[in-house]
Amino acid sequence: GINAEYGDAISYEKGNSIIRMLQNWLGAEPFRKGLALYLKKFQYSNASVRPVNYNIRLHPDLEKFTFSGEETIEVEVKETVRSIKMNSAEIAVQSATFICPDSSLSTSAIVASDEDETLTLSFDRDLPVGAAKLQLNFTGILNDKLRGFYRSSYTAGDGSVKRIAVTQFESTDARRAFPCWDEPAVKATFDVTLVSPVAQWFNKQGL
C-alpha cells in the first residue's frame, strides 16, 4: 500500500515534468494542437455505447485469492451496434445480458483479448439506441502485482498475519477488478458493494 502510493507519486511527477518539458520545447499552441490530434487518433473506439452508472458487487475470497463479481451498468447507446467493447484484464466473464425497456438479449459471443486488455460482447441483433442496462457476472484473481484488486497482508498486534484485499485503480487498472470503460475520457458514477465477513472492516476510501 504505502510503497505503491509513493511509487505513484514519483511516476506522476516524472510524467508531469516530461509534459511540461515538451510544452516548453514545442510552444503552448503547437503542443495543444498536437495533443488534440493524438487524442482524436487514439480515442476510445467504442464511443457508440457509453456508461452512465456502475452498480458493482464484489466478493473477495482471501483464502483462494480470488473474487466474484456482479455489475449492472446503465448505458446510453448512441447509435445502432451489434457489439460492445470494454476494458477487462484478468477477468473471466460468465454471462452478459443487454436489457432495454421492452426486451433483453444475451450475448452470442464473449471474447477477451489479453493483449489489448479488452472485452468484446457480441449480440445476434442490433442494440436499440437509447438508455439501457448491461448486466455481467464475472470472476477474477486477487493478484500480487500491487494494481487493480490485489492481495496484501499486515501483522496484527498479537503477531498474527492478516490477509486483506486492496484496490489501486489509477491510472487504468480498474479493469482488473471489473469490466468497464477504463479510459479517462469515459466518465460515470459508481455504486460499489464489497462483501466482507462481519468481523472484518475495510476503508472504502481505497475503492
Side-chain angles (χ1 to χ4, degrees):
I2 294 178
N3 290 337
E5 291 172 5
Y6 283 139
D8 285 341
I10 293 171
S11 298
Y12 295 150
E13 185 58 34
K14 285 184 177 180
N16 288 336
S17 298
I18 293 172
I19 291 173
R20 287 194 297 268
M21 181 181 67
L22 285 172
Q23 184 174 1
N24 291 335
W25 181 60
L26 295 171
E29 188 61 24
F31 176 80
R32 282 196 293 268
K33 289 183 178 179
L35 182 60
L37 288 173
Y38 176 87
L39 292 175
K40 183 177 181 180
K41 181 178 180 180
F42 294 100
Q43 66 182 344
Y44 194 67
S45 60
N46 192 33
S48 301
V49 181
R50 301 182 70 89
V52 176
N53 173 266
Y54 294 84
N55 192 311
I56 304 165
R57 181 183 177 89
L58 297 174
H59 189 172
D61 186 330
L62 298 178
E63 297 298 323
K64 298 179 180 178
F65 298 132
T66 60
F67 66 90
S68 59
E70 309 165 7
E71 65 178 337
T72 299
I73 311 171
E74 296 178 17
V75 299
E76 185 72 24
V77 181
K78 300 292 187 180
E79 59 186 27
T80 301
V81 293
R82 286 201 175 191
S83 65
I84 297 175
K85 188 176 182 180
M86 312 168 66
N87 293 113
S88 181
E90 300 176 344
I91 297 288
V93 176
Q94 282 75 48
S95 65
T97 305
F98 180 87
I99 303 172
C100 54
D102 57 354
S103 64
S104 63
L105 186 62
S106 297
T107 53
S108 57
I110 300 175
V111 179
S113 170
D114 295 334
E115 181 179 358
D116 297 332
E117 297 185 345
T118 58
L119 174 73
T120 301
L121 308 175
S122 298
F123 300 87
D124 285 332
R125 60 182 174 87
D126 293 341
L127 304 181
V129 172
K133 293 182 179 181
L134 187 62
Q135 291 184 343
L136 298 98
N137 292 281
F138 54 92
T139 54
I141 61 171
L142 294 172
N143 67 71
D144 57 357
K145 302 174 183 177
L146 301 180
R147 56 181 179 167
F149 201 15
Y150 65 94
R151 61 183 184 261
S152 187
S153 63
Y154 69 95
T155 303
D158 61 2
S160 61
V161 176
K162 304 293 185 181
R163 295 172 176 172
I164 57 174
V166 186
T167 59
Q168 169 56 44
F169 290 167
E170 295 180 344
S171 56
T172 56
D173 282 318
R175 66 189 65 182
R176 300 180 188 279
F178 50 89
C180 58
W181 285 264
D182 197 11
E183 304 288 337
V186 186
K187 301 185 184 302
T189 57
F190 291 80
D191 296 297
V192 181
T193 299
L194 184 62
V195 180
S196 176
V198 175
Q200 297 182 1
W201 59 272
F202 66 94
N203 179 4
K204 67 179 180 180
Q205 187 174 3
L207 290 174

